[in-house]
Amino acid sequence: IQISLLAFLEHLVSMHWYRNHNLTVLRQINLVQHLLVTLQRGDVEVPVLEKLVVLLGVILEDGFLASELEHVVRFVVMTFDPPELTPRHPIMRESMGKHVIVRNMLLEMLIDLQVTIKSEELLEQWHKIVSSKLITYFLDEAVPPTSMRWIMTLLGVCLTSSPTFSLKFRTSGGYQ
């Protein structure tokens, strides 16, 4: 039932005739925030989580609204819970769990959205709101390899898509 409901919502925001109206109504009820709250729950099965992320991506792709992107970035950052360092274990990785699975799905979705951006102005806004925050926060040795793979992919996409991002990354000591 959950997957069917999410498929219906995805259809509402994908069909061309009433798409703008449907997105407006769904945004008025703060659907993005509701989807993020659902992604946070521990009792949601992975196939439902996948469908939630797909729906979230379809909504974000419409206009790349800064407020929605900021909510998603804050949520992704919130999923990182590094273990406390101890003298005996100076480097400890975050343990795998559903929160890491959700984070990785969201990172993949954000990368997929970023590569669709053709406007230089929109790409710069994207880097400011999304890429730079995620890369800065997740370049941490406690991040599990599965998440680090997505962060490094995001970094690579950013470096190749924007000379401005590449220059900022280099001047801030990013290659050291």
Side-chain angles (χ1 to χ4, degrees), residues 21-85:
H21 172 73
N22 293 339
L23 279 164
T24 300
V25 170
L26 293 173
R27 283 180 166 136
Q28 286 173 348
I29 63 167
N30 298 318
L31 183 62
V32 168
Q33 289 90 327
H34 290 292
L35 294 175
L36 293 174
V37 167
T38 306
L39 284 170
Q40 191 175 5
R41 293 178 47 166
D43 61 344
V44 180
E45 296 297 321
V46 172
V48 176
L49 294 172
E50 290 170 343
K51 200 67 171 164
L52 283 164
V53 171
V54 168
L55 176 59
L56 189 59
V58 171
I59 293 169
L60 291 176
E61 192 173 20
D62 180 74
F64 295 106
L65 298 182
S67 61
E68 291 176 345
L69 291 172
E70 287 170 359
H71 285 301
V72 173
V73 169
R74 272 195 301 264
F75 178 84
V76 173
V77 166
M78 182 215 53
T79 65
F80 185 45
D81 186 23
E84 290 188 32
L85 299 178

Side-chain angles (χ1 to χ4, degrees), residues 11 15 17-19 37 42 65 75 80 85 100-102 144 153 173-174:
H11 179 72
M15 58 185 235
W17 290 356
Y18 300 105
R19 182 171 198 251
V37 167
L65 298 182
F75 178 84
F80 185 45
L85 299 178
V100 176
I101 294 168
V102 168
T153 302

Side-chain angles (χ1 to χ4, degrees), residues 61 64 107-119 122-123 126-127 130-131 150 153-162:
E61 192 173 20
F64 295 106
L107 288 171
E108 181 181 12
M109 179 266 296
L110 290 169
I111 292 166
D112 290 344
L113 286 178
Q114 181 178 330
V115 297
T116 67
I117 299 173
K118 303 296 182 223
S119 160
L122 185 56
L123 193 58
W126 178 274
H127 289 316
V130 180
S131 306
W150 290 114
T153 302
L154 177 63
L155 176 59
V157 169
C158 293
L159 291 172
T160 58
S161 68
S162 170

Side-chain angles (χ1 to χ4, degrees), residues 82-172:
E84 290 188 32
L85 299 178
T86 61
R88 292 177 19 146
H89 301 287
I91 300 174
M92 290 185 62
R93 296 219 186 275
E94 175 187 32
S95 60
M96 279 298 285
K98 209 172 261 188
H99 67 289
V100 176
I101 294 168
V102 168
R103 176 194 316 140
N104 293 344
M105 287 191 291
L106 288 169
L107 288 171
E108 181 181 12
M109 179 266 296
L110 290 169
I111 292 166
D112 290 344
L113 286 178
Q114 181 178 330
V115 297
T116 67
I117 299 173
K118 303 296 182 223
S119 160
E120 190 68 33
E121 184 180 316
L122 185 56
L123 193 58
E124 291 305 316
Q125 178 186 357
W126 178 274
H127 289 316
K128 183 179 177 185
I129 296 171
V130 180
S131 306
S132 59
K133 290 179 184 172
L134 291 176
I135 291 167
T136 302
Y137 195 78
F138 284 107
L139 279 180
D140 187 294
E141 52 199 14
V143 172
T146 56
S147 295
M148 186 56 76
R149 186 184 101 197
W150 290 114
I151 293 301
M152 296 309 290
T153 302
L154 177 63
L155 176 59
V157 169
C158 293
L159 291 172
T160 58
S161 68
S162 170
T164 307
F165 183 89
S166 183
L167 181 62
K168 286 179 185 175
F169 186 74
R170 183 179 312 125
T171 58
S172 68

